[in-house]
Amino acid sequence: MNIDFYNPVKILSGKNCFRDFRDYAKFGKKAVIVCGKNSARLCGALSDAENGLREAGIGYTVFDRVEPNPFVSTCREGGREARRFGADFVIGIGGGSPLDAAKAVAAFAANPDFEPEDIYTKARVPALPFLAVNTTAGTGSEVTPYSIMTVPSIENKKSFAGDDLYAKLAFLDPSYTLSLPVGQTYSTAVDALCHAVEGYFMKKANPVSDALAEKCIPMICGGMRGVLAGDLGYENRERLLYASTLAGMVISRTGTGFVHSTGYMLTYYHGLSHGHANAYFLADFVEFMSRENPERAKKIFGLCGVKGSEELWELLGACPAMPLSSVITPEEASAYAARTITVKNVGNAVSVITEPELLDILRRRCI
Ligand code: NAP
Ligand code: ZN
């Protein structure tokens, strides 16, 4: 038995855990705050950061140009600004997009000569320290060593990883997620569910990642059912946020599978949100895994509170804000299946899907 596990992120959780934080000096004298255009302001986290930094005597600048599914070029630009400002550390505020961008900004700032795509190929000086402040409950980026960016030259999203990308501190204040609209609340929860479930069927899953997955899956599905019943209150937000972080710990050990790899195509070419894109494939992923791993699949269905893959499909597609309607042509389906099958992650699952099997799923669910 193997219980190897590494997740060196200090987590602070609960209402006002970030608003009241002042202990910045150990990370340096100057910070760059990385966020999107609106949400960091809207939810109050940006002004909490600015007040806290001012009171702690830390200089700061704000890079607020991170788009959803951030471009690698945007992150390099943020890295340059951080470098010009002389930032010692990076605070990412947002959903997975600003958090992943903040990791990349921290890496580009430490490697100022890098062209955007060098981040994927060249050895690097370790990234600046990075603190994460969540405003969505889904990606788990606050506890993973991955940063996923959009790379136009390969017409896809691509991740880079490293122990230097783990956040030094992750702040989980559910209040910041209260402003997230219902559709995004649901689709980010679906993303978290995908992390826990895909992670359960990866070769690197072990008793530690299994325990985390088994804990968080009922929390996420309970939270999703709550959202469907109109519960967007603090306690349900808290349940979804904490569960999504546990699911992030799962993938920090295991990585993700074909659900994510195929989902990236729907995001890149069709503009679907990350969680929504993944939602198309999760039920069939478990169904596929059930052929060779029936006991583990049965366990997953039980944890989700469903009888089988069709009920799971209904739960994933139940939210009116994220209709699972027709999105791609048959030609696109063939191209996406062919490309996905070559992705390394897909081969890291306990059962490896073939191109015709994946094409069958794409045809059934997306056309
Ligand atoms: P997101 O792309 O960060 O945000 C989606 C939208 O929600 C944006 O318009 C954002 O506005 C808005 N928003 C965020 N928080 C809000 C709030 N509290 N109130 C109102 N609006 C809010 O969404 P996400 O699903 O969290 O992140 C997806 C990204 O994470 C993808 O790029 C995906 O590849 C990545 N990801 C990373 C990992 C990892 O391990 N690193 C794992 C899974 C996914 P603003 O633009 O104004 O911020
Ligand atoms: Zn994801």
Side-chain angles (χ1 to χ4, degrees), residues 274-297:
H274 177 64
H276 186 169
N278 290 343
Y280 282 87
F281 309 114
L282 187 65
D284 293 299
F285 175 86
V286 185
E287 178 70 31
F288 175 75
M289 292 297 159
S290 74
R291 295 182 204 163
E292 288 177 10
N293 314 275
E295 285 312 312
R296 281 177 80 77

Side-chain angles (χ1 to χ4, degrees), residues 138-140 148 157 187-188 190-195 198 251 256 259-260 264 274-275 278:
T139 71
I148 301 156
K157 299 179 70 174
S187 70
T188 47
V190 168
D191 184 30
L193 182 62
C194 291
H195 296 161
E198 284 176 82
I251 57 166
T256 53
V259 175
H260 269 68
Y264 291 154
H274 177 64
N278 290 343

Side-chain angles (χ1 to χ4, degrees), residues 130-325:
F130 150 66
L131 317 188
V133 183
N134 283 69
T135 69
T136 67
T139 71
S141 179
E142 67 281 6
V143 289
T144 71
Y146 316 123
S147 166
I148 301 156
M149 293 175 283
T150 301
V151 184
S153 68
I154 58 161
E155 298 191 3
N156 208 343
K157 299 179 70 174
K158 187 171 179 178
S159 66
F160 80 109
D163 286 353
D164 58 328
L165 302 188
Y166 277 113
K168 294 280 175 270
L169 269 170
F171 297 92
L172 304 179
D173 182 342
S175 328
Y176 295 144
T177 66
L178 284 167
S179 53
L180 196 64
V182 60
Q184 276 160 355
T185 302
Y186 203 83
S187 70
T188 47
V190 168
D191 184 30
L193 182 62
C194 291
H195 296 161
V197 173
E198 284 176 82
Y200 206 69
F201 293 102
M202 292 296 119
K203 287 187 186 119
K204 285 186 79 181
N206 72 12
V208 182
S209 63
D210 282 359
L212 290 161
E214 287 167 14
K215 177 71 189 172
C216 70
I217 289 170
M219 290 169 74
I220 299 166
C221 292
M224 286 165 58
R225 291 191 175 92
V227 172
L228 289 174
D231 181 358
L232 292 160
Y234 183 90
E235 277 176 22
N236 204 30
R237 299 284 188 178
E238 181 183 67
R239 173 160 62 163
L240 285 169
L241 180 58
Y242 293 177
S244 70
T245 298
L246 300 182
M249 290 178 195
V250 173
I251 57 166
S252 86
R253 160 83 201 158
T254 64
T256 53
F258 78 70
V259 175
H260 269 68
S261 305
T262 319
Y264 291 154
M265 306 272 171
L266 300 193
T267 298
Y268 187 86
Y269 290 108
H270 305 279
L272 297 188
S273 74
H274 177 64
H276 186 169
N278 290 343
Y280 282 87
F281 309 114
L282 187 65
D284 293 299
F285 175 86
V286 185
E287 178 70 31
F288 175 75
M289 292 297 159
S290 74
R291 295 182 204 163
E292 288 177 10
N293 314 275
E295 285 312 312
R296 281 177 80 77
K298 197 171 154 205
K299 176 96 185 172
I300 287 291
F301 289 132
L303 291 165
C304 291
V306 297
K307 288 198 194 73
S309 61
E310 280 314 308
E311 266 190 32
L312 182 57
W313 169 254
E314 281 166 28
L315 177 65
L316 296 168
C319 182
M322 49 167 292
L324 295 173
S325 53

